[in-house]
Amino acid sequence: MSRRVSPTIEAARTTSALLAPCDTFPRRHIGPDEAEVKQMLALLETASLDALIDETVPESIRRRDALALPPARGEHELLADLRRVASRNRVLRSFIGMGYHDCVTPPVVQRNILENPGWYTQYTPYQAEIAQGRLEALLNFQTMVADLTGLPLANASLLDEATAAAEAMHMAHAIRSGRRAFWVGDDCHPQTIAVVRTRALPLGIEVHVGPVDGIDFAARDLFGVLLQYPTTDGQVVDYAGVAERAHAADALVVVAADLLALTLLRPPGEFGADIAVGSAQRFGVPLGFGGPHAAFLSTRDEFKRQMPGRLVGVSHDAEGRPAFRLALQTREQHIRRDKATSNICTAQVLLAVMASMYAVYHGPDGLRRIAQRVHALASAMAEGLRRLGFELGSGVFFDTLKVRLDEAAGAALVAAACGRGINLRAYDDGSVGVALDEATTVDDVRTLLDVFAGSRPAPSLEELAGAIDPALSPPLARTSPFLTHDVFGRHHSEHEMLRYMRALESRDLSLTTSMIPLGSCTMKLNGTSEMLPVTWPEFGRIHPFAPADQAEGYAELFRDLESWLAEITGFAGVSLQPNAGSQGEYAGLLAVRAYHQSRGEGHRNVCLIPVSAHGTNPASAVVAGFKVVAVACDERGNIDVADLRAKAEAHQAGLGALMVTYPSTHGVFEEAIREICAIVHANGGQVYMDGANLNAQVGLTSPGHIGADVCHLNLHKTFCIPHGGGGPGMGPIAVARHLVPFLPGHPFAPKGRKEDAVSAAPFGSPSILTIPWVYIALMGPDGLRQATAVAILNANYMARRLEGHYPVLYTGRSGRVAHELIIDARQFKDTAGIEVEDIAKRLMDYGFHAPTMSFPVPGTLMIEPTESETKAELDRFCDALIAIREEIRAIEEGRADRADNPLKHAPHTARVVTADVWGHAYTREQAAFPAPWLRQHKFWPAVGRIDNTYGDRNLVCTCPPVESY
């Protein structure tokens, strides 16, 4: 007998169906469906998801109200609305320069790198055997930078040119320790000068800004000098004499260089530079209103131990074949902590890969042709301006001209150009700057000349072209070859380029293959709808210093995002400027420092940091001018409150801050967190909360509700910006009301403070801020809370499935973990001769990336499943770990050899498994196909286990000869 439904109920259902979006995003973002959630809760013997949260998150910090955010919206509807927002940005042709230039991204690179989840969902290449493609691309980047700058050693990228210059200053300061002064040429880019000043102040470095001619190095006791090449107003200066005088005074020379110009200009390494920095943005990376872009740093071989950031090197695998991996100081923050030379633990890998592929695609001849064309157009432009009676500098230039005008004439000309769809640079004295680029057309130059001519007839471009000789001459002209390695000469057809990129992609494990369960790294779904707007030209082709009325769409997006992030964190203000988590840590600590100084308590420079903290915490504290004091943890992994209280009271007079991660780095919601915050406040300090584990807080609690004063947000973790193989990232900071006045400023901010810039662009890397905006809007308040709850469910489900096979090291009350868990593998060294690294490498044979290895506890694995993985994928990963445990048991029981077993020889490559000779005591099938799902799809590691020690002892960080492959 059918059950009748009342007309009222039926009408309500119909109304609900009409109002609800059809394409509900949360059910696609969150992996387990309702039935799977019930099955997982049953294993945990918990009645409901809410009951699990009650057992896991302390009552004292729970928020009971819903997030005050707009309700969830459908993907199609939201993207249409974002199109409206984007349309409020006006894309003019920008000839502003200042280190940012329009360029042409090769379509084959845009589609197959930037828009390809096989490249943008990879993690940092800490497991090198399954990251060979990306590492090769980064080695190409390093080779490209080393060749063009004329210095033998380049890193795998930094964040932006300004922060790279600041890193070079810190590096030079460390090399020439004992000196306190650094000279910055007054013709460097203004944003670079601003960031260098910000970074110097906490460390007591004296920054002198002025002309570089006639510097008295000895009298000023300088440890280094920063030179712009070409200068911000376009002049190409012969710095050989400056370098000679600097070296005579034992000072180091840092040159901020333009990579495209270096295809025609004498490289810095040839005229005496010790360090070169700059941006690779104009090598095919969109403007993006300021980022993300890949900066670079290259240096002399003797300074390799002081280099910041990551460095890719060549080693060999178990078969003696060439293999790539991260070298030297790869994670020095975790090893050296407060003694680290830099707090940068990241890179801009995706953008560095794009730039390297741009160089591979064009090759040396193609790059030179692009540069020659830009220079020729600039030369014709200069001749035309002179014929129109304008005064230009008499020196050599590459692509940028400064036209001398008074304030009234300059303002009128800039306005006239804007009316013709063109942005020019406006100097304070009224002069106008014009910087041409790869995207400049002949028609653009004609229009520019028309604008400058006003009512007069402009000179003919054809006539001008016949009157110029754009060739550069020594000593400024480049005579040395570059990009001579075969990789830059083989892939100039699109077919070859496509196949090369696809071959590299196939050597990398990404989220397109399987889950990447890295504790503290939150490798969750990067939804396609979130990614689509990144390459819209309304977001991608805007110069960061374009007039504010051309970026009203961005302004709307920023307002929304700042408001939403403030609500999520429970704070009053947000700065979107920091363009990495490490930058966020630094900016947050600077705000704390400035707050103390404003109260006449600038002496508060002690920062308490638990021993379990991320390694960037102590490194950031030192860079921000704090003295680090370590706080102990108890046997359960919690902060030792008694030790904290004792040290807070002992340092009461100088206590500045506590840096704390919550949930803890050990994956537990500590019950005493409010007491911890109260102790620090009672002794005059501020509480900085590391946002690495915010994925366990959203909608359930918040840093502000807990009692913190400031936190940074890893938008590439909690808010779905993909990791990009190790970058880009974003690390905005959120602060309580009393710290709002001390948020970062910027000299080109549309309004507000102009001091304390921490990134080159006012809003960091704006083009990827569309990703968290879309994510938050699609999820809505209920979806965000549900995501957090399921992240906690998934972690506890895995802990329950694994606890009979591996000890779960830390749990909170009721035996629950937070959103991640640590399993202990230390006992296997004694029982079977198996190290945690053996387990990590063996997981590759099962088709998985290893969890975070040996952090925060050596010999352990830290697993974070996130909310995006289905129960089936969680089970598959658990099954793999359980199968590996049985392989270890076979060794323990004598059924397998302690030396010749699948773990010790993992990972197994296709080459090894299909070799004519198989000399192991276990079978080929056990080596390569230890689980049933591998018959359906097998990811083969590209190389066998890599010898890291050999690579560090025999450091090679540029492309090896082809015959070595």
Side-chain angles (χ1 to χ4, degrees):
M1 184 175 177
S2 61
R3 184 179 177 186
R4 298 188 62 184
V5 179
S6 75
T8 303
I9 294 175
E10 189 62 48
R13 287 179 179 174
T14 302
T15 302
S16 177
L18 285 171
L19 297 177
C22 294
D23 52 342
T24 304
F25 182 75
R27 67 180 175 85
R28 275 188 273 277
H29 175 82
I30 297 172
D33 61 23
E34 188 175 346
E36 290 175 330
V37 167
K38 288 180 180 178
Q39 294 169 19
M40 296 160 76
L41 290 169
L43 182 70
L44 294 172
E45 303 176 86
T46 302
S48 67
L49 204 50
D50 284 340
L52 175 65
I53 298 306
D54 288 340
E55 295 169 7
T56 306
V57 184
E59 172 68 25
S60 62
I61 63 167
R62 289 285 300 281
R63 65 178 297 165
R64 296 299 177 183
D65 58 327
L67 289 168
L69 298 173
R73 301 168 68 185
E75 293 175 80
H76 180 74
E77 171 199 353
L78 186 72
L79 287 174
D81 189 48
L82 190 55
R83 282 286 187 190
R84 175 197 59 78
V85 174
S87 70
R88 299 188 65 202
N89 292 330
R90 293 193 296 132
V91 181
L92 275 64
R93 281 291 285 120
S94 285
F95 298 101
I96 298 171
M98 299 174 65
Y100 297 94
H101 303 267
D102 204 356
C103 61
V104 179
T105 306
V108 68
V109 173
Q110 176 170 319
R111 172 61 62 90
N112 295 286
I113 300 289
L114 180 58
E115 299 175 346
N116 182 354
W119 282 95
Y120 65 66
T121 68
Q122 303 157 341
Y123 182 60
T124 305
Y126 293 137
Q127 294 294 338
E129 293 84 354
I130 51 175
Q132 287 296 292
R134 188 173 1 132
L135 288 165
E136 180 173 329
L138 290 175
L139 198 72
N140 293 345
F141 178 84
Q142 293 177 179
T143 303
M144 173 189 83
V145 171
D147 278 10
L148 288 172
T149 60
L151 290 164
L153 202 63
N155 68 13
S157 77
L158 291 171
L159 300 173
D160 58 41
E161 181 171 331
T163 55
E167 290 289 339
M169 175 184 68
H170 285 311
M171 179 179 165
H173 186 230
I175 294 168
R176 295 289 184 261
S177 59
R179 301 186 184 185
R180 307 298 301 175
F182 188 65
W183 192 279
V184 179
D186 58 1
D187 49 12
C188 290
H189 294 316
Q191 70 273 18
T192 298
I193 296 173
V195 171
V196 166
R197 278 177 160 154
T198 298
R199 292 283 292 269
L201 188 62
L203 300 181
I205 295 174
E206 300 172 14
V207 173
H208 302 281
V209 179
V212 298
D213 289 338
I215 302 172
D216 190 342
F217 285 92
R220 292 186 177 275
D221 197 28
L222 300 172
F223 64 82
V225 58
L226 174 65
L227 312 170
Q228 192 84 48
Y229 183 67
T231 65
T232 190
D233 54 5
Q235 298 295 299
V236 179
V237 180
D238 182 0
Y239 288 123
V242 177
E244 186 176 350
R245 288 189 289 112
H247 291 152
D250 205 26
L252 297 179
V253 176
V254 181
V255 175
D258 181 318
L259 282 185
L260 188 64
L262 294 184
T263 64
L264 303 182
L265 299 178
R266 185 183 182 192
E270 293 182 12
F271 61 69
D274 300 290
I275 306 168
V277 297
S279 171
Q281 178 266 316
R282 68 189 309 178
F283 274 31
V285 182
L287 285 164
F289 202 42
H293 304 140
F296 63 82
L297 184 149
S298 60
T299 190
R300 303 191 182 282
D301 185 71
E302 58 263 38
F303 302 140
K304 59 179 175 283
R305 294 285 174 180
Q306 285 83 26
M307 280 185 73
R310 297 177 183 148
L311 185 65
V312 176
V314 183
S315 186
H316 61 224
D317 72 356
E319 291 186 90
R321 297 171 63 80
F324 312 119
R325 90 288 180 249
L326 295 176
L328 296 180
Q329 74 281 46
T330 291
R331 300 193 77 176
E332 70 157 6
Q333 292 86 4
H334 290 288
I335 300 167
R336 304 188 66 209
R337 300 179 75 78
D338 57 314
K339 301 296 192 295
T341 56
S342 169
N343 76 327
I344 293 293
C345 69
T346 187
Q348 295 279 37
V349 171
L350 186 68
L351 299 315
V353 168
M354 287 181 66
S356 76
M357 291 304 176
Y358 180 91
V360 168
Y361 184 66
H362 288 292
D365 293 339
L367 293 178
R368 193 181 292 108
R369 281 193 298 271
I370 293 168
Q372 287 170 339
R373 179 179 176 278
V374 171
H375 179 56
L377 289 172
S379 298
M381 179 83 189
E383 177 65 19
L385 290 172
R386 289 191 183 99
R387 292 188 182 189
L388 288 169
F390 290 99
E391 182 186 353
L392 306 177
S394 58
V396 177
F397 58 85
F398 168 58
D399 63 2
T400 300
L401 307 170
K402 183 177 181 180
V403 186
R404 294 189 175 92
L405 296 167
D406 60 37
E407 287 189 36
L413 200 143
V414 168
C418 189
R420 298 288 296 273
I422 288 173
N423 288 324
L424 301 176
R425 179 178 178 183
Y427 289 87
D428 291 340
D429 65 358
S431 296
V432 171
V434 186
L436 305 188
D437 54 51
E438 178 193 7
T440 302
T441 66
V442 170
D443 285 343
D444 287 333
V445 177
R446 289 195 180 102
T447 303
L448 283 165
L449 288 171
D450 284 343
V451 168
F452 277 91
S455 59
R456 296 172 291 167
S460 160
L461 194 60
E462 289 73 19
E463 179 187 349
L464 296 173
I468 62 170
D469 178 12
L472 297 166
S473 56
L476 297 175
R478 181 173 197 128
T479 57
S480 55
F482 58 91
L483 304 189
T484 57
H485 189 275
D486 188 59
V487 73
F488 298 105
R490 285 187 289 132
H491 308 294
H492 301 157
S493 76
E494 183 160 331
H495 254 154
E496 287 301 313
M497 190 69 191
L498 178 65
R499 289 165 183 161
Y500 179 59
M501 292 186 293
R502 182 66 187 90
L504 296 190
E505 181 190 343
S506 70
R507 298 173 199 163
D508 270 37
L509 188 145
S510 69
L511 283 175
T512 65
T513 304
S514 57
M515 71 182 293
I516 301 179
L518 287 147
S520 191
C521 295
T522 319
M523 298 292 291
K524 64 204 293 184
L525 172 71
N526 313 121
T528 306
S529 292
E530 297 156 11
M531 301 302 299
L532 288 174
V534 171
T535 52
W536 292 355
E538 296 91 343
F539 292 122
R541 292 197 67 188
I542 297 185
H543 193 285
F545 307 141
D549 63 359
Q550 294 174 23
E552 291 179 353
Y554 262 124
E556 180 179 346
L557 185 141
F558 297 155
R559 286 193 300 271
D560 286 345
L561 200 51
E562 289 169 359
S563 171
W564 297 346
L565 294 177
E567 170 63 17
I568 288 168
T569 58
F571 284 132
V574 171
S575 169
L576 300 172
Q577 188 179 137
N579 55 1
S582 57
Q583 297 297 93
E585 291 179 4
Y586 177 70
L589 290 170
L590 283 190
V592 168
R593 191 173 182 274
Y595 168 73
H596 287 313
Q597 290 172 337
S598 74
R599 292 158 54 86
E601 297 185 326
H603 60 279
R604 290 193 172 275
N605 67 345
V606 172
C607 186
L608 303 178
I609 302 180
V611 295
S612 63
H614 296 95
T616 53
N617 286 180
S620 294
V622 169
V623 173
F626 286 89
K627 175 186 175 183
V628 173
V629 173
V631 176
C633 291
D634 63 23
E635 69 281 356
R636 297 185 62 82
N638 299 318
I639 293 174
D640 186 326
V641 177
D643 188 58
L644 172 75
R645 189 186 303 277
K647 286 174 177 170
E649 292 174 353
H651 295 281
Q652 183 181 43
L655 181 60
L658 163 74
M659 295 187 80
V660 60
T661 301
Y662 199 77
S664 73
T665 309
H666 292 130
V668 175
F669 282 98
E670 297 188 41
E671 298 282 340
I673 186 63
R674 280 200 159 169
E675 180 185 0
I676 288 167
C677 293
I679 290 170
V680 173
H681 289 147
N683 288 280
Q686 296 283 286
V687 176
Y688 178 98
M689 186 166 285
D690 186 312
N693 291 344
L694 195 73
N695 208 50
Q697 291 191 38
V698 179
L700 301 180
T701 184
S702 70
H705 188 67
I706 290 168
D709 301 286
V710 53
C711 74
H712 82 268
L713 304 117
N714 294 104
L715 299 186
H716 51 288
K717 295 184 180 183
T718 304
F719 297 99
C720 292
I721 293 178
H723 283 246
M730 277 291 278
I733 58 169
V735 298
R737 191 166 305 280
H738 63 282
L739 294 180
V740 170
F742 309 106
L743 287 170
H746 195 280
F748 295 99
K751 57 183 179 180
R753 295 174 66 246
K754 305 297 182 183
E755 303 82 25
D756 299 330
V758 296
S759 298
F763 298 96
S765 296
S767 67
I768 57 174
L769 290 176
T770 55
I771 300 168
W773 187 93
V774 173
Y775 171 68
I776 294 170
L778 288 176
M779 294 294 284
D782 296 337
L784 290 171
R785 185 189 183 282
Q786 182 77 358
T788 307
V790 173
I792 293 171
L793 169 66
N794 284 357
N796 279 280
Y797 175 75
M798 293 186 78
R800 178 60 61 88
R801 279 216 59 197
L802 293 172
E803 65 183 1
H805 308 275
Y806 300 86
V808 175
L809 201 54
Y810 301 112
T811 59
R813 62 188 178 95
S814 306
R816 302 301 188 195
V817 298
H819 65 308
E820 61 190 10
L821 61 141
I822 298 175
I823 60 173
D824 198 347
R826 291 173 292 184
Q827 65 276 18
F828 303 137
K829 183 175 181 179
D830 293 331
T831 63
I834 294 297
E835 307 272 1
V836 68
E837 183 181 25
D838 299 323
I839 299 174
K841 303 307 180 188
R842 182 58 172 155
L843 274 167
M844 297 177 191
D845 289 330
Y846 285 81
F848 286 109
H849 194 293
T852 301
M853 188 175 68
S854 290
F855 175 79
V857 181
T860 65
L861 293 168
M862 182 162 60
I863 303 168
E864 182 180 354
T866 83
E867 71 275 11
S868 295
E869 300 300 342
T870 63
K871 179 177 179 294
E873 186 72 355
L874 303 182
D875 284 334
R876 200 163 66 92
F877 184 74
C878 288
D879 290 344
L881 278 176
I882 292 167
I884 290 171
R885 177 64 183 96
E886 292 307 309
E887 292 175 344
I888 296 171
R889 199 182 315 280
I891 301 169
E892 293 170 332
E893 295 175 355
R895 293 180 285 114
D897 189 83
R898 285 176 72 96
D900 186 17
N901 59 69
L903 284 95
K904 282 297 181 185
H905 293 289
H908 297 84
T909 64
R911 177 185 174 88
V912 166
V913 174
T914 59
D916 292 338
V917 177
W918 179 259
H920 297 297
Y922 53 95
T923 66
R924 298 175 195 253
E925 181 178 26
Q926 187 180 358
F929 297 99
W933 62 79
L934 297 167
R935 296 290 182 183
Q936 298 175 349
H937 175 67
K938 169 71 177 176
F939 178 88
W940 290 98
V943 296
R945 194 175 303 196
I946 297 172
D947 187 336
N948 290 313
T949 302
Y950 175 87
D952 283 347
R953 289 177 179 170
N954 303 275
L955 192 64
V956 175
C957 296
T958 54
C959 296
V962 175
E963 58 269 19
S964 70
Y965 284 89

